[in-house]
Amino acid sequence: MSTDAPDLSGFTGTVTFLGAGNMGGAVLGRLLAAGLPPEHARVTDLADRTRARWEEQGVSTGTDNPEAVRGASVVVLAVKPYLVADVLDEIADELGGDSIVVSLAAGVTLATLESHAGDGVPVVRVMPNTPALVGEGMFVVTAGRDCTAEQLEVVDTLLRACGQTEVVPESQQNAASGLSGSGPAYIFYVADALAEGGVHEGLPRDLAVRLAAQTILGAARMLVESDEPASTLREQVTSPGGSTAVALRLLDEGAVRYRMSAAVSAATRRAGELGA
Protein backbone atom coordinates (compact mmCIF):
# COMPACT_ATOMS: atom_id res chain seq x y z
CA MET A 1 0.00 0.00 0.00
CA SER A 2 1.27 3.45 -0.94
CA THR A 3 0.80 6.16 1.68
CA ASP A 4 2.92 9.18 0.79
CA ALA A 5 1.09 12.05 -0.93
CA PRO A 6 2.78 13.15 -4.17
CA ASP A 7 3.60 16.59 -5.52
CA LEU A 8 2.08 16.72 -9.00
CA SER A 9 3.44 20.12 -10.00
CA GLY A 10 6.01 18.45 -12.23
CA PHE A 11 3.55 16.14 -13.99
CA THR A 12 4.06 16.63 -17.71
CA GLY A 13 1.30 14.47 -19.18
CA THR A 14 -2.34 15.32 -19.81
CA VAL A 15 -5.14 13.77 -17.73
CA THR A 16 -8.59 13.69 -19.33
CA PHE A 17 -11.69 13.02 -17.26
CA LEU A 18 -14.68 11.70 -19.14
CA GLY A 19 -17.34 12.66 -16.64
CA ALA A 20 -16.75 14.88 -13.63
CA GLY A 21 -19.61 14.09 -11.27
CA ASN A 22 -19.20 13.21 -7.60
CA MET A 23 -16.36 10.70 -7.96
CA GLY A 24 -14.58 12.09 -11.01
CA GLY A 25 -14.87 15.61 -9.64
CA ALA A 26 -13.48 14.52 -6.27
CA VAL A 27 -10.41 12.95 -7.89
CA LEU A 28 -9.77 15.86 -10.24
CA GLY A 29 -10.13 18.36 -7.40
CA ARG A 30 -7.51 16.53 -5.35
CA LEU A 31 -5.13 16.28 -8.32
CA LEU A 32 -5.30 20.04 -8.77
CA ALA A 33 -4.84 20.56 -5.02
CA ALA A 34 -1.72 18.35 -5.21
CA GLY A 35 -0.25 20.66 -7.83
CA LEU A 36 -1.37 19.21 -11.16
CA PRO A 37 -1.14 22.17 -13.56
CA PRO A 38 -4.69 23.01 -14.75
CA GLU A 39 -3.46 23.19 -18.34
CA HIS A 40 -2.61 19.47 -18.03
CA ALA A 41 -6.22 18.54 -17.26
CA ARG A 42 -9.27 18.20 -19.48
CA VAL A 43 -12.90 17.44 -18.65
CA THR A 44 -15.87 16.41 -20.74
CA ASP A 45 -19.32 16.63 -19.22
CA LEU A 46 -22.79 17.35 -20.51
CA ALA A 47 -23.72 19.67 -17.62
CA ASP A 48 -22.99 23.36 -18.22
CA ARG A 49 -22.62 23.95 -14.46
CA THR A 50 -20.00 21.22 -14.15
CA ARG A 51 -17.95 22.54 -17.05
CA ALA A 52 -18.14 26.10 -15.71
CA ARG A 53 -16.78 24.93 -12.34
CA TRP A 54 -13.63 23.55 -13.93
CA GLU A 55 -13.20 26.35 -16.44
CA GLU A 56 -12.97 28.76 -13.48
CA GLN A 57 -9.94 26.75 -12.34
CA GLY A 58 -8.24 26.86 -15.72
CA VAL A 59 -9.17 23.35 -16.85
CA SER A 60 -10.04 22.77 -20.50
CA THR A 61 -13.62 21.49 -20.87
CA GLY A 62 -16.00 20.32 -23.57
CA THR A 63 -18.48 17.68 -24.64
CA ASP A 64 -16.49 15.98 -27.42
CA ASN A 65 -14.95 12.84 -25.91
CA PRO A 66 -12.69 11.83 -28.85
CA GLU A 67 -11.25 15.33 -29.07
CA ALA A 68 -10.64 15.45 -25.32
CA VAL A 69 -8.69 12.18 -25.20
CA ARG A 70 -6.54 12.95 -28.25
CA GLY A 71 -2.93 12.96 -27.02
CA ALA A 72 -3.89 12.37 -23.38
CA SER A 73 -1.50 10.26 -21.33
CA VAL A 74 -4.20 9.22 -18.84
CA VAL A 75 -7.92 8.90 -19.61
CA VAL A 76 -10.16 8.57 -16.54
CA LEU A 77 -13.57 6.99 -17.14
CA ALA A 78 -15.80 8.52 -14.48
CA VAL A 79 -19.15 7.62 -16.02
CA LYS A 80 -21.88 5.21 -14.91
CA PRO A 81 -20.97 1.53 -15.39
CA TYR A 82 -23.57 0.98 -18.11
CA LEU A 83 -22.01 3.78 -20.20
CA VAL A 84 -18.40 2.57 -20.09
CA ALA A 85 -18.49 0.29 -23.13
CA ASP A 86 -20.20 2.90 -25.30
CA VAL A 87 -17.78 5.64 -24.24
CA LEU A 88 -14.79 3.41 -24.98
CA ASP A 89 -16.20 2.55 -28.40
CA GLU A 90 -16.54 6.28 -29.04
CA ILE A 91 -12.91 7.10 -28.20
CA ALA A 92 -11.13 3.88 -29.24
CA ASP A 93 -9.68 5.36 -32.43
CA GLU A 94 -7.87 8.03 -30.37
CA LEU A 95 -6.31 5.59 -27.93
CA GLY A 96 -2.99 3.81 -28.20
CA GLY A 97 -0.29 2.16 -26.16
CA ASP A 98 0.73 5.49 -24.64
CA SER A 99 -2.78 6.29 -23.35
CA ILE A 100 -3.58 4.69 -19.97
CA VAL A 101 -7.31 4.13 -19.51
CA VAL A 102 -8.39 4.24 -15.86
CA SER A 103 -11.92 3.09 -15.04
CA LEU A 104 -13.61 4.24 -11.82
CA ALA A 105 -16.81 2.35 -12.70
CA ALA A 106 -17.95 -0.27 -10.21
CA GLY A 107 -18.10 -3.82 -11.51
CA VAL A 108 -16.77 -3.19 -15.03
CA THR A 109 -14.23 -5.91 -15.74
CA LEU A 110 -10.80 -5.69 -17.32
CA ALA A 111 -12.07 -7.92 -20.12
CA THR A 112 -14.78 -5.39 -20.94
CA LEU A 113 -12.36 -2.46 -20.74
CA GLU A 114 -9.77 -4.16 -22.93
CA SER A 115 -12.20 -5.40 -25.56
CA HIS A 116 -13.67 -1.92 -26.08
CA ALA A 117 -10.46 0.12 -25.68
CA GLY A 118 -8.66 -1.81 -28.40
CA ASP A 119 -5.61 -4.01 -28.78
CA GLY A 120 -2.53 -2.91 -26.87
CA VAL A 121 -4.25 -0.14 -24.89
CA PRO A 122 -3.24 -0.33 -21.21
CA VAL A 123 -6.23 -0.30 -18.86
CA VAL A 124 -6.49 -0.09 -15.07
CA ARG A 125 -9.59 -0.98 -13.08
CA VAL A 126 -10.03 1.10 -9.92
CA MET A 127 -12.58 0.96 -7.12
CA PRO A 128 -12.57 4.38 -5.42
CA ASN A 129 -14.61 5.82 -2.57
CA THR A 130 -15.93 9.26 -1.69
CA PRO A 131 -13.46 10.19 1.10
CA ALA A 132 -11.23 11.08 -1.85
CA LEU A 133 -12.99 14.44 -1.49
CA VAL A 134 -10.91 15.13 1.63
CA GLY A 135 -7.76 13.29 0.55
CA GLU A 136 -8.63 10.13 2.53
CA GLY A 137 -9.92 7.95 -0.29
CA MET A 138 -9.28 4.24 -0.66
CA PHE A 139 -8.43 3.12 -4.20
CA VAL A 140 -8.31 -0.59 -4.98
CA VAL A 141 -6.35 -1.06 -8.21
CA THR A 142 -5.97 -3.87 -10.77
CA ALA A 143 -3.88 -3.49 -13.91
CA GLY A 144 -4.78 -5.04 -17.25
CA ARG A 145 -2.52 -7.29 -19.31
CA ASP A 146 -1.05 -4.47 -21.45
CA CYS A 147 -0.33 -2.12 -18.55
CA THR A 148 3.38 -1.94 -17.71
CA ALA A 149 4.80 -1.47 -14.23
CA GLU A 150 5.79 2.07 -15.17
CA GLN A 151 2.27 2.90 -16.35
CA LEU A 152 0.76 1.44 -13.19
CA GLU A 153 3.14 3.63 -11.18
CA VAL A 154 1.83 6.70 -13.02
CA VAL A 155 -1.73 5.79 -12.03
CA ASP A 156 -0.67 5.05 -8.46
CA THR A 157 1.05 8.44 -8.18
CA LEU A 158 -2.08 10.26 -9.33
CA LEU A 159 -4.38 8.34 -7.02
CA ARG A 160 -2.16 8.91 -3.99
CA ALA A 161 -3.07 12.58 -4.26
CA CYS A 162 -6.54 11.47 -3.15
CA GLY A 163 -5.73 8.90 -0.44
CA GLN A 164 -4.39 5.37 -0.21
CA THR A 165 -3.94 2.68 -2.85
CA GLU A 166 -3.96 -1.12 -2.78
CA VAL A 167 -3.14 -3.32 -5.77
CA VAL A 168 -5.22 -6.51 -5.81
CA PRO A 169 -6.07 -9.33 -8.26
CA GLU A 170 -9.27 -8.68 -10.17
CA SER A 171 -11.03 -11.51 -8.34
CA GLN A 172 -11.05 -9.25 -5.24
CA GLN A 173 -12.42 -6.14 -6.93
CA ASN A 174 -16.13 -6.71 -6.30
CA ALA A 175 -15.49 -7.50 -2.65
CA ALA A 176 -13.50 -4.29 -2.38
CA SER A 177 -16.47 -2.48 -3.88
CA GLY A 178 -18.76 -4.00 -1.27
CA LEU A 179 -16.40 -3.08 1.57
CA SER A 180 -14.55 0.15 0.83
CA GLY A 181 -16.50 1.43 -2.16
CA SER A 182 -19.84 1.34 -0.35
CA GLY A 183 -18.23 1.50 3.10
CA PRO A 184 -18.50 5.27 3.67
CA ALA A 185 -22.30 4.95 3.49
CA TYR A 186 -22.20 2.31 6.24
CA ILE A 187 -20.13 4.62 8.45
CA PHE A 188 -22.43 7.57 7.81
CA TYR A 189 -25.34 5.29 8.74
CA VAL A 190 -23.62 4.42 12.03
CA ALA A 191 -22.71 8.05 12.70
CA ASP A 192 -26.33 9.11 12.20
CA ALA A 193 -27.53 6.37 14.56
CA LEU A 194 -24.99 7.32 17.24
CA ALA A 195 -25.95 10.97 17.06
CA GLU A 196 -29.65 10.07 17.25
CA GLY A 197 -28.94 8.06 20.39
CA GLY A 198 -27.18 11.03 21.93
CA VAL A 199 -30.12 13.29 21.12
CA HIS A 200 -32.51 10.76 22.65
CA GLU A 201 -30.48 10.92 25.86
CA GLY A 202 -30.58 14.72 26.01
CA LEU A 203 -27.60 15.99 24.03
CA PRO A 204 -28.09 18.97 21.68
CA ARG A 205 -28.12 17.66 18.11
CA ASP A 206 -25.11 19.66 16.93
CA LEU A 207 -23.07 18.38 19.88
CA ALA A 208 -24.23 14.80 19.33
CA VAL A 209 -23.19 15.00 15.66
CA ARG A 210 -19.74 16.36 16.56
CA LEU A 211 -19.21 13.70 19.24
CA ALA A 212 -20.18 10.92 16.84
CA ALA A 213 -17.96 12.24 14.04
CA GLN A 214 -14.89 12.75 16.21
CA THR A 215 -15.37 9.38 17.88
CA ILE A 216 -15.41 7.64 14.50
CA LEU A 217 -12.42 9.65 13.31
CA GLY A 218 -10.42 8.86 16.43
CA ALA A 219 -11.30 5.17 16.35
CA ALA A 220 -10.33 4.97 12.68
CA ARG A 221 -7.00 6.63 13.41
CA MET A 222 -6.34 4.08 16.15
CA LEU A 223 -7.08 1.25 13.71
CA VAL A 224 -4.71 2.70 11.13
CA GLU A 225 -1.85 3.43 13.52
CA SER A 226 -2.15 0.45 15.89
CA ASP A 227 -0.71 -3.00 15.32
CA GLU A 228 -3.66 -4.44 17.22
CA PRO A 229 -6.71 -5.90 15.45
CA ALA A 230 -10.10 -4.26 15.85
CA SER A 231 -11.24 -7.02 18.20
CA THR A 232 -8.41 -6.26 20.64
CA LEU A 233 -9.02 -2.51 20.53
CA ARG A 234 -12.70 -3.18 21.22
CA GLU A 235 -11.80 -5.33 24.23
CA GLN A 236 -9.59 -2.55 25.61
CA VAL A 237 -12.60 -0.23 25.72
CA THR A 238 -14.90 -2.84 27.26
CA SER A 239 -14.67 -3.17 31.04
CA PRO A 240 -16.39 -6.27 32.48
CA GLY A 241 -19.90 -5.37 33.54
CA GLY A 242 -19.47 -1.79 32.34
CA SER A 243 -21.64 0.41 30.15
CA THR A 244 -19.77 -0.51 26.96
CA ALA A 245 -20.24 -4.23 27.67
CA VAL A 246 -23.97 -3.71 28.08
CA ALA A 247 -24.15 -1.74 24.85
CA LEU A 248 -22.22 -4.34 22.87
CA ARG A 249 -24.44 -7.11 24.19
CA LEU A 250 -27.47 -5.24 22.93
CA LEU A 251 -25.85 -4.90 19.49
CA ASP A 252 -25.09 -8.63 19.45
CA GLU A 253 -28.69 -9.46 20.38
CA GLY A 254 -29.77 -7.42 17.37
CA ALA A 255 -27.32 -9.27 15.10
CA VAL A 256 -25.73 -5.95 14.12
CA ARG A 257 -22.32 -7.55 13.49
CA TYR A 258 -23.89 -10.15 11.21
CA ARG A 259 -25.96 -7.52 9.38
CA MET A 260 -22.91 -5.34 8.71
CA SER A 261 -21.03 -8.32 7.30
CA ALA A 262 -24.06 -9.35 5.24
CA ALA A 263 -24.32 -5.80 3.89
CA VAL A 264 -20.80 -6.08 2.46
CA SER A 265 -21.77 -9.38 0.81
CA ALA A 266 -24.93 -7.89 -0.68
CA ALA A 267 -23.02 -4.91 -2.08
CA THR A 268 -20.38 -7.27 -3.48
CA ARG A 269 -23.01 -9.23 -5.39
CA ARG A 270 -24.56 -6.04 -6.71
CA ALA A 271 -21.17 -4.78 -7.94
CA GLY A 272 -20.86 -7.93 -10.02
CA GLU A 273 -24.35 -7.39 -11.43
CA LEU A 274 -23.52 -3.82 -12.40
CA GLY A 275 -20.49 -5.00 -14.32
CA ALA A 276 -22.54 -7.57 -16.17
Side-chain angles (χ1 to χ4, degrees):
M1 180 174 70
S2 300
T3 58
D4 53 318
D7 176 4
L8 300 180
S9 59
F11 189 82
T12 58
T14 298
V15 184
T16 294
F17 281 76
L18 304 184
N22 291 338
M23 198 67 253
V27 174
L28 176 54
R30 295 305 302 184
L31 297 187
L32 295 174
L36 179 70
E39 61 270 22
H40 289 187
R42 303 173 189 162
V43 169
T44 64
D45 200 282
L46 296 178
D48 293 340
R49 180 181 301 178
T50 300
R51 296 198 307 274
R53 169 192 173 189
W54 299 113
E55 287 169 359
E56 291 173 358
Q57 300 184 54
V59 174
S60 174
T61 72
T63 59
D64 188 320
N65 288 334
E67 179 183 351
V69 305
R70 194 170 297 134
S73 50
V74 179
V75 177
V76 181
L77 300 175
V79 298
K80 298 296 185 183
Y82 70 90
L83 293 173
V84 167
D86 288 343
V87 170
L88 282 173
D89 289 343
E90 181 186 7
I91 65 174
D93 288 344
E94 302 296 340
L95 300 175
D98 294 330
S99 300
I100 311 169
V101 174
V102 179
S103 171
L104 304 183
V108 179
T109 65
L110 289 174
T112 296
L113 297 173
E114 289 170 342
S115 65
H116 290 272
D119 292 339
V121 177
V123 302
V124 181
R125 178 180 173 181
V126 177
M127 185 65 242
N129 66 12
T130 55
L133 279 164
V134 293
E136 293 292 349
M138 184 69 250
F139 295 86
V140 182
V141 180
T142 306
R145 63 173 181 265
D146 294 314
C147 184
T148 67
E150 291 76 15
Q151 290 169 325
L152 182 60
E153 179 61 28
V154 170
V155 175
D156 182 75
T157 298
L158 294 174
L159 295 179
R160 282 189 285 108
C162 315
Q164 311 296 320
T165 62
E166 287 282 359
V167 177
V168 304
E170 187 172 29
S171 61
Q172 296 177 7
Q173 274 283 352
N174 288 342
S177 176
L179 175 54
S180 66
S182 299
Y186 313 152
I187 302 304
F188 298 145
Y189 186 93
V190 169
D192 185 52
L194 290 174
E196 195 62 35
V199 171
H200 181 75
E201 294 302 325
L203 293 176
R205 182 167 295 277
D206 60 343
L207 175 59
V209 168
R210 290 199 303 274
L211 290 179
Q214 183 59 40
T215 298
I216 290 171
L217 177 63
R221 178 57 62 188
M222 289 180 69
L223 275 171
V224 170
E225 296 184 357
S226 174
D227 293 329
E228 301 290 350
S231 57
T232 299
L233 295 176
R234 184 193 68 226
E235 291 168 0
Q236 292 172 354
V237 183
T238 310
S239 300
S243 57
T244 304
V246 171
L248 291 176
R249 182 176 180 180
L250 181 65
L251 293 177
D252 286 342
E253 289 174 351
V256 173
R257 179 185 177 90
Y258 164 77
R259 291 295 182 185
M260 291 293 287
S261 178
V264 173
S265 296
T268 297
R269 290 192 297 272
R270 182 54 178 160
E273 294 169 357
L274 289 172

